[in-house]
Amino acid sequence: MAGRSDYQIPEKPRPKPEIQVRPDEHMTIMTRNTSLIDLCEANDPLAWTEFLHRYGEMLVSFARQVGLSDREASDVAKATILAFGDALRDHNDIAEQSRVRIKQLLRDIARKRVLAVSRHDSSDGSSSARVWIGQAHIGNSVREEAMFDLEWQRACLRRAMDMVRAEVGDQTMSAFEQYVLRRQPVGEVAQDLNTTPTEVYVAKTRVLRRIQASLVVIQAEE
Amino acid sequence: MSECASSFQMMSFARGDLGRSATQAIDAHIETCQTCAAAIAESDVHERLVEALRESEASRCDNENAVAMFEAARAAILAALLDRS
């Protein structure tokens, strides 16, 4: 795991806060980014849980996209989030700015972490061919930014799906996932779910319309 | 709405361009009309969104192991974040 030298500050004793939530518990409220950062800044455990849910996977995916291994990608995501937490805590100006540009801050930190891991691999000779290929992208800011943007968009889609999942019934969501995402024939989906093809078509239309509406809300935050 | 909507109305409905009452009417109509429900669902109005969703799901599968490693460390990350604050 790469060090966290970018945002180190002198240690001082702090009271250890109690964790009020299970580690795997996902905050069901769909907080706006700005409010989420306010709550993280206030050290709200639920807000940090939601932050991890919202950005953890996309950071892992970004690190994988540029060619890091599973373990390295997981470590980069972890280091990025910890560094973001430090930046939020230590620099009031960054905390203020982060309300409008979380994406840019996360991207900058993640790119530094990726670079640190790739340099470490190169220096100890442990680079695999896959990582070496990935390094063609590392340090290429245009390519990295495009990859980060793609993963950010996918994270927005997943968040929109989460929002819709909370709004519609299980049957509707299952019909959508089987018919649209897994491309199962409509008749087969209807039979699986003990419903009619019409209901499956309607599920697709309704879920897509809701995803679109959710994306408008999510994109308006950025 | 008992009669089927026009193609234009159905595509406007799919795009979310219709007013509230027209939207509600078509929404109710497609619950009982398989022809219209299929026409709207099979239209290419949402093609790009559907492709993006499929790619997002495929990417999720590709990165499953790495994400699982991250998830396994999530409790420790959360504790570290709270401990540092």
Side-chain angles (χ1 to χ4, degrees):
Chain A
M1 160 91 70
R4 299 174 46 256
S5 56
D6 302 8
Y7 298 99
Q8 274 181 356
I9 58 156
E11 288 294 329
K12 53 185 176 185
R14 295 166 190 276
K16 190 168 183 172
E18 267 186 51
I19 300 175
Q20 304 286 342
V21 292
R22 295 199 319 272
D24 61 342
E25 190 176 7
H26 165 49
M27 192 172 171
T28 52
I29 62 165
M30 292 302 162
T31 316
R32 287 172 59 90
N33 277 351
T34 50
S35 307
L36 182 66
I37 294 305
D38 285 341
L39 291 168
C40 286
E41 199 179 1
N43 207 27
D44 181 318
L46 280 173
W48 276 119
T49 302
E50 173 64 15
F51 189 91
L52 290 173
H53 176 79
R54 199 175 287 185
Y55 301 111
E57 184 174 346
M58 69 87 40
L59 289 168
V60 170
S61 300
F62 165 68
R64 289 285 292 123
Q65 281 288 315
V66 297
L68 300 190
S69 70
D70 290 345
R71 170 60 60 198
E72 290 165 340
S74 171
D75 287 348
V76 161
K78 178 181 174 182
T80 300
I81 288 172
L82 290 176
F84 182 86
D86 285 350
L88 200 60
R89 180 195 60 189
D90 295 342
H91 307 281
N92 287 335
D93 56 331
I94 288 179
E96 185 62 34
Q97 290 168 35
S98 73
R99 293 191 177 91
V100 290
R101 51 189 193 100
I102 301 171
K103 179 182 173 182
Q104 191 179 331
L105 275 172
L106 281 175
R107 186 181 64 205
D108 291 348
I109 297 170
R111 287 179 58 199
K112 283 180 188 169
R113 294 295 156 202
V114 166
L115 202 56
V117 169
S118 66
R119 280 180 180 153
H120 174 75
D121 277 352
S122 299
S123 64
D124 71 7
S126 65
S127 298
S128 66
R130 185 188 43 69
V131 170
W132 184 83
I133 291 166
Q135 283 176 346
H137 304 312
I138 295 170
N140 178 338
S141 60
V142 174
R143 184 82 178 136
E144 281 179 359
E145 283 183 20
M147 287 176 166
F148 192 93
D149 284 348
L150 177 63
E151 293 305 331
W152 186 270
Q153 286 163 16
R154 287 175 175 166
C156 290
L157 283 175
R158 286 193 284 268
R159 194 174 152 213
M161 284 275 281
D162 284 346
M163 291 166 81
V164 175
R165 192 172 279 113
E167 292 169 8
V168 303
D170 289 346
Q171 176 98 339
T172 300
M173 210 61 202
S174 295
F176 177 80
E177 286 170 349
Q178 287 180 235
Y179 177 50
V180 178
L181 301 184
R182 290 177 222 150
R183 302 173 199 243
Q184 286 179 237
V186 66
E188 191 179 300
V189 177
Q191 197 170 11
D192 274 0
L193 299 175
N194 197 25
T195 185
T196 63
T198 304
E199 284 295 322
V200 178
Y201 289 132
V202 170
K204 176 182 175 179
T205 300
R206 287 192 177 151
V207 170
L208 284 174
R209 282 163 53 86
R210 281 172 188 257
I211 289 174
Q212 267 194 326
S214 297
L215 283 172
V216 169
V217 172
I218 292 167
Q219 283 161 359
E221 294 175 5
E222 295 174 13
Chain B
M1 176 183 285
S2 56
E3 291 181 6
C4 296
S6 68
S7 298
F8 178 77
Q9 276 183 308
M10 287 195 286
M11 294 313 105
S12 299
F13 166 82
R15 279 192 293 267
D17 291 343
L18 291 182
R20 189 173 176 175
S21 61
T23 298
Q24 285 175 340
I26 294 182
D27 214 18
H29 175 70
I30 60 175
E31 284 189 6
T32 54
C33 178
Q34 183 170 332
T35 307
C36 288
I40 292 168
E42 299 292 353
S43 73
D44 59 4
V45 167
H46 296 295
E47 193 176 14
R48 287 179 64 187
L49 178 57
V50 167
E51 277 310 307
L53 286 166
R54 285 176 179 155
E55 284 172 11
S56 175
E57 285 301 299
S59 157
R60 178 168 254 181
C61 292
D62 290 345
N63 299 322
E64 204 170 23
N65 289 340
V67 172
M69 286 178 184
F70 175 81
E71 291 299 323
R74 198 160 72 149
I77 299 169
L78 182 60
L81 283 166
L82 295 173
D83 198 32
R84 286 160 194 272
S85 300

